[in-house]
Amino acid sequence: MLDIPAPRRVSELTALIIDEDPLVHELIKSAMLEIGISKIATAQNAYYAVRRCEQTRFDIVLISFNVQSDKDGFHLLEELKFKGYVTKATTVIFLSAETAPELVHCVVEMQPNDFWVKPLDRNRVENRLRHIFEVRKRLHRLYYCVDTENYSSAIYLADELLKRNELAHYFPNIKRVKGECLFKLFEFAEAQKYYEELQHEYKYGWVSIGLLRAMLAQDKLEEAEPKIKELKEREDTRFLVYDVLAHYFIEHEDYKNAYEEIKTATQLAPRNIERNRKSCDLARLNHDRKGQYLSAQNVAKYARNSIHDSPDLRLNVVRTGIDLATTLTAGEARTLYVKIERMMRELEAEFGKQLEEPLTVVKVRLLCVRQNKKEAEKLLKDKVSQEANGSIDENLEKVKAFHELGMREESLKLLEEVKKQIGGDSWSGRVVSEYIEQEKIERKEIHFTAKELGEMAKTHFKEKRFKPAYANLTQAFKLSPNNPQLAMSLLRLLTAMVEQEKDTLDEHQQSLACECAAILAASDMENDTKQKLEMFAKILKIDLANLSL
């Protein structure tokens, strides 16, 4: 017999209501008193909510998204979980007047017990509370086993509960718990069979997502394709399927597809800091400088006033901005540099001593991109340590600074040190580790930035030195793939090679030409660019109608 403590009586429970509106407090308190809960505390902002939780362990927490005076409810709930004030045993109810899909997806990820849309109705609040506590009471033993990670016992209890017809109303909750326990025990074949049977009974999104996860856990991607297509079209599963696929592709080291999936997941639920970080890591690995910059901006934006907030997040926006600027035209780069310098002044004013070396490294890189390498080298030698003495991001920035100044041995040595900083076999760790391996290869083979290589190729092209121009541009394209400007330059060069050298492209060059044409076709082209593309495609025998990236 399992030794499980009895559930607490409703009259013994403590509740905390967090909302700006005192009328919301009164309405919910009235409903709680009606069902027997009398130990009720309230808070009108996040600051006082945290203070309350420091003093009292609450069984029920109702938290409004619209706690705008210091931090929103999403960040507050994240902080309460991080500090251990909200656990699996806590009943969490999220309140919001907003129902935008982006917010709903983010809330669902935080896994509250319920989500109420304002304005609240007194009778409905009372009925929902009665239902929530009845479920907790009836399924207390099952939830206790899950909370204590006794998954085998949880499956046994679930099967026993499913024999009791009087609990038919709770069968969906019980069956969902059983499915999750099968995953925890790595019983993926059994889980697939289980969810396939549930499909005939329920149309819930969690059933379909559970089936997809079970199939992917067994490497059945091809078999799962029809299910994936179906789930991407369903409103209740669209976000989750992209997230599941991103994790699957990371497991299989398919970082290009992982990035495409996680970009969409991040757009659908933009507030998740960890997903934005993963998107930033994958963008860096896939040489998507703009995507990396935008992801870094999102991390800094959504982390503001949260437990994740730190000056390093804002500094990462500056770092990724410099990376992006090296791929832009002179005019576009100037506009971005104005933003970067403004952010740097703000960071220096707020955190000057705390960020002294990281900010110096950024200044070195800015001097490099402006071709003031003599001053950059002096600043680096005087103010920057050659040791890996900071975070991974700080040290990777040093690697770039050393490389851009031609100090390739120091750059490669530092990369080896950074690799030692990556611990465990985490999702993000694998991505960063792959990026470092990629960097080691590229730093050895490619000695200039994409922008510098582009300028060198332009000079060679004017002098009709097509082979060195091609070598420069292919290296630049390796550093900055999916760049429309480089794609256009490569197409122009390949066309000139065919026309002036009266030669045909080899298999690799033809494939590269098609890739460049596909990048341009997928971009927002002006009419003259479109006309040039059509002209180049005709000469290079590229079928624009059947291109795919």
Side-chain angles (χ1 to χ4, degrees), residues 196-254:
E196 283 173 343
E197 291 171 356
L198 282 186
Q199 273 194 133
H200 302 299
E201 189 177 358
Y202 301 121
K203 300 300 180 186
Y204 298 127
W206 60 262
V207 175
S208 297
I209 291 294
L211 176 56
L212 176 61
R213 287 174 59 209
M215 294 173 78
L216 293 181
Q218 300 172 81
D219 283 337
K220 296 181 178 180
L221 179 60
E222 190 173 338
E223 185 182 329
E225 287 293 351
K227 174 62 65 178
I228 291 168
K229 185 178 179 182
E230 172 202 328
L231 296 182
K232 283 185 174 181
E233 293 173 358
R234 280 178 55 173
E235 184 62 37
D236 61 334
T237 56
R238 185 177 299 130
F239 155 67
L240 289 170
V241 73
Y242 286 108
D243 207 41
V244 168
L245 285 169
H247 282 76
Y248 171 81
F249 286 125
I250 282 289
E251 290 289 335
H252 291 75
E253 300 182 0
D254 183 349

Side-chain angles (χ1 to χ4, degrees), residues 16 48-58 80 85:
L16 173 63
Y48 285 108
V50 174
R51 300 290 83 78
R52 292 279 197 186
C53 289
E54 288 173 347
Q55 298 160 4
T56 307
R57 185 76 166 194
F58 292 101
L80 296 180
Y85 300 142

Side-chain angles (χ1 to χ4, degrees), residues 177-190:
V177 170
K178 179 179 175 179
E180 288 302 317
C181 289
L182 288 171
F183 273 102
K184 294 293 185 180
L185 294 172
F186 303 101
E187 299 285 353
F188 302 127
E190 184 66 24

Side-chain angles (χ1 to χ4, degrees), residues 40-293:
I40 307 167
T42 61
Q44 287 186 291
N45 61 37
Y47 175 82
Y48 285 108
V50 174
R51 300 290 83 78
R52 292 279 197 186
C53 289
E54 288 173 347
Q55 298 160 4
T56 307
R57 185 76 166 194
F58 292 101
D59 303 295
I60 312 141
V61 175
L62 297 98
I63 183 167
S64 173
F65 172 72
N66 313 92
V67 188
Q68 296 175 356
S69 55
D70 43 5
K71 65 181 69 178
D72 65 38
F74 183 84
H75 284 149
L76 175 57
L77 179 53
E78 197 174 35
E79 181 175 346
L80 296 180
K81 284 190 171 189
F82 178 78
K83 291 181 175 177
Y85 300 142
V86 167
T87 67
K88 292 178 182 178
T90 312
T91 296
V92 177
I93 300 167
F94 207 85
L95 317 174
S96 178
E98 295 184 37
T99 57
E102 294 83 0
L103 173 64
V104 174
H105 290 318
C106 292
V107 171
V108 168
E109 277 200 283
M110 297 300 288
Q111 297 182 330
N113 297 87
D114 214 349
F115 180 26
W116 297 351
V117 178
K118 298 179 185 179
L120 303 177
D121 175 78
R122 167 66 176 71
N123 291 332
R124 179 166 171 75
V125 167
E126 183 180 330
N127 291 335
R128 290 302 303 163
L129 286 170
R130 289 187 187 281
H131 173 73
I132 289 167
F133 294 127
E134 187 63 24
V135 171
R136 300 287 300 192
K137 177 183 173 183
R138 295 272 194 165
L139 306 185
H140 170 72
R141 287 164 59 80
L142 177 63
Y143 289 149
Y144 181 86
C145 287
V146 174
D147 288 346
T148 55
E149 300 183 0
N150 189 348
Y151 303 118
S152 296
S153 295
I155 290 173
Y156 169 79
L157 282 175
D159 288 336
E160 290 300 307
L161 291 168
L162 291 170
K163 294 174 184 177
R164 297 169 58 182
N165 290 331
E166 71 272 19
L167 297 179
H169 186 68
Y170 308 108
F171 281 3
N173 304 71
I174 298 167
K175 291 178 179 181
R176 185 170 189 173
V177 170
K178 179 179 175 179
E180 288 302 317
C181 289
L182 288 171
F183 273 102
K184 294 293 185 180
L185 294 172
F186 303 101
E187 299 285 353
F188 302 127
E190 184 66 24
Q192 180 180 345
K193 181 180 175 184
Y194 177 71
Y195 284 113
E196 283 173 343
E197 291 171 356
L198 282 186
Q199 273 194 133
H200 302 299
E201 189 177 358
Y202 301 121
K203 300 300 180 186
Y204 298 127
W206 60 262
V207 175
S208 297
I209 291 294
L211 176 56
L212 176 61
R213 287 174 59 209
M215 294 173 78
L216 293 181
Q218 300 172 81
D219 283 337
K220 296 181 178 180
L221 179 60
E222 190 173 338
E223 185 182 329
E225 287 293 351
K227 174 62 65 178
I228 291 168
K229 185 178 179 182
E230 172 202 328
L231 296 182
K232 283 185 174 181
E233 293 173 358
R234 280 178 55 173
E235 184 62 37
D236 61 334
T237 56
R238 185 177 299 130
F239 155 67
L240 289 170
V241 73
Y242 286 108
D243 207 41
V244 168
L245 285 169
H247 282 76
Y248 171 81
F249 286 125
I250 282 289
E251 290 289 335
H252 291 75
E253 300 182 0
D254 183 349
Y255 301 109
K256 183 177 180 181
N257 276 319
Y259 180 46
E260 291 305 314
E261 301 296 345
I262 208 165
K263 272 196 299 185
T264 307
T266 303
Q267 289 164 3
L268 293 170
R271 288 178 169 272
N272 186 290
I273 304 300
E274 282 308 308
R275 186 176 295 106
N276 274 300
R277 280 177 171 154
K278 290 172 183 176
S279 184
C280 195
D281 286 340
L282 284 166
R284 179 168 58 188
L285 181 59
N286 283 280
H287 294 102
D288 182 359
R289 305 303 182 206
K290 186 174 182 181
Q292 186 187 355
Y293 177 62

